[in-house]
Amino acid sequence: MNVGLTTPILPASEAAVAAAARCLADGGLVGFPTETVYGLGADATNPAAIARLYRAKGRPSFNPLIAHVGDLEAARLIGRFDARATALAEAFWPGPLTLVLRRTRDCAVADLATAGLDTIAIRVPAHPLARDILRAFAGPVVAPSANLSGHVSPTTAAHVQSDLAGRIDLIVDGGAVAVGVESTIVGCFEAPMLLRPGGLPRGEIERVLGRALPRPPDEAGHDTGQPLAPGMLASHYAPRTPVRLEAVGVDAGEALLAFGDGVVPGVDATTATMNLSAQGDLNEAAANLFGYLRALDLTGARAIAVMPIPHHGLGEAINDRLRRAAMGRE
Ligand code: TXA
Ligand code: MG
């Protein structure tokens, strides 16, 4: 197990996949790419590995983890699928959708990973390296985003290294991720609910369901008293620098996170400017979001001013993460 101050990074290869699977089987912690963000994987059936994972991230252990599996068949071993859940899985897996379902009776995932809930979050990632690692490991892998708790999610192996070097055993480098925001989380109970907007736009899910996908009435669960998506703690995505939303101008000493080709007054006085998508493409903006927030956080700006982002498509997830970033850290 790694005890040094650094963590080895292996470029994508068959050998890296085999090393990752071996490491997981030994109770180790592996940073690996998914199409949404980099995940920090542990054997979902190994409570000691999961305890290490919570410690490495500095994550409150009441916050449950997503179990990643290779296919729908493997998912059925741990979660109970009704007709709607099956339809969503068949339409969108592998891909950036997480389903929260009732656990099966003989679900092998450790209670520590699900924070004692009788539900479980399950996802089949689409990234080829994630799929290869899951196939080689041949069991469920819990994987939160591979960042320190409270930080923005990592979209490159270097982000993982900068947060978790020396705290985890291995990082597999698959380059920059394609989607850039975490998976969309849908709770599939009596009526499906959008627990977290994410990399799969709400409209695509509503088209398959043939109905609107409501947000939960508030963030408290009905019967358990547990938050429905507890990880949606307000301060989850905050950089250190204050974030100012809906900026129509830039003040002296601010950095600018721009969107589109519009010009805002004061742009000449910024310490730094990065444009999420000059063409106004929300997919491109999502892919750039966390990396640009991390980069602007390092410029020493007084604040990060963010131009308005439209709310449709991936804009819902982008605005959700920006709103959390603007609330600051706990
Ligand atoms: O795209 C993603 O989903 C990434 C990649 C690595 O797969 N993973 C990710 O995991 O974002 P994490 O741990 O950062 O976020 C998981 C979210 C948290 O908000 C957690 O509270 C929620 O899923 N969650 C997990 N199990 C749940 C459950 N049984 N009921 C409700 N929410 C749950
Ligand atoms: Mg996270």
Side-chain angles (χ1 to χ4, degrees):
M1 218 147 282
N2 183 59
V3 288
L5 290 176
T6 61
T7 295
I9 301 188
L10 297 179
S13 68
E14 266 177 45
V17 168
R22 221 168 25 241
C23 184
L24 291 169
D26 289 345
L29 305 179
V30 179
F32 67 97
T34 81
E35 73 280 22
T36 56
V37 299
Y38 273 71
L40 178 59
D43 177 354
T45 67
N46 181 338
I50 296 161
R52 272 189 79 216
L53 187 155
Y54 281 123
R55 219 163 34 241
K57 273 190 63 102
R59 178 176 194 147
S61 54
F62 58 78
N63 194 352
L65 303 170
I66 299 173
H68 295 63
V69 293
D71 53 32
L72 178 53
E73 202 186 323
R76 286 190 193 283
L77 298 175
I78 57 177
R80 278 155 52 183
F81 284 74
D82 63 9
R84 285 205 195 91
T86 303
L88 292 177
E90 285 175 346
F92 300 116
W93 281 354
L97 172 70
T98 294
L99 297 176
V100 177
L101 309 170
R102 304 248 170 252
R103 290 169 67 117
T104 56
R105 199 182 297 276
D106 44 8
C107 175
V109 173
D111 283 333
L112 186 56
T114 52
L117 299 171
D118 61 355
T119 57
I120 185 164
I122 311 176
R123 149 163 150 76
V124 177
H127 195 290
L129 267 176
R131 294 177 66 70
D132 287 349
I133 291 169
L134 288 169
R135 196 173 306 116
F137 177 65
V141 171
V142 283
S145 49
N147 51 281
L148 287 173
S149 190
H151 244 179
V152 295
S153 291
T155 55
T156 65
H159 294 159
V160 181
Q161 183 78 297
S162 101
D163 271 24
L164 297 174
R167 305 168 76 96
I168 66 175
D169 301 296
L170 178 66
I171 299 168
V172 182
D173 187 352
V177 302
V179 177
V181 290
E182 301 86 346
S183 60
T184 302
I185 304 182
V186 174
C188 282
F189 305 113
E190 303 75 50
M193 268 190 293
L194 181 62
L195 301 183
R196 175 176 78 180
L200 180 65
R202 158 205 292 275
E204 296 192 31
I205 300 169
E206 292 178 334
R207 207 166 311 126
V208 168
L209 291 174
R211 57 193 280 172
L213 190 63
R215 295 298 304 264
D218 50 43
E219 289 197 348
H222 342 256
D223 46 13
T224 60
Q226 292 261 11
L228 277 174
M232 300 311 284
L233 297 172
S235 67
H236 197 63
Y237 295 92
R240 288 184 184 79
T241 313
V243 172
R244 187 167 70 81
L245 300 181
E246 307 292 336
V248 291
V250 195
D251 300 334
E254 285 187 331
L256 176 65
L257 187 61
F259 178 83
D261 58 6
V263 178
V264 294
V267 69
D268 296 336
T270 60
T271 56
T273 297
M274 297 183 92
N275 197 325
L276 288 170
S277 171
Q279 289 85 40
D281 176 340
L282 288 165
N283 295 340
E284 182 184 10
N288 287 329
L289 178 66
F290 290 139
Y292 286 8
L293 277 177
R294 278 179 185 258
L296 293 178
D297 200 15
L298 296 175
T299 61
R302 205 159 58 69
I304 302 171
V306 185
M307 284 169 67
I309 315 280
H311 206 66
H312 58 85
L314 285 189
E316 184 175 13
I318 295 170
N319 282 313
D320 173 87
R321 304 307 188 269
L322 284 170
R323 193 168 50 78
R324 289 168 201 287
M327 288 178 192
R329 299 247 192 136
E330 268 162 355

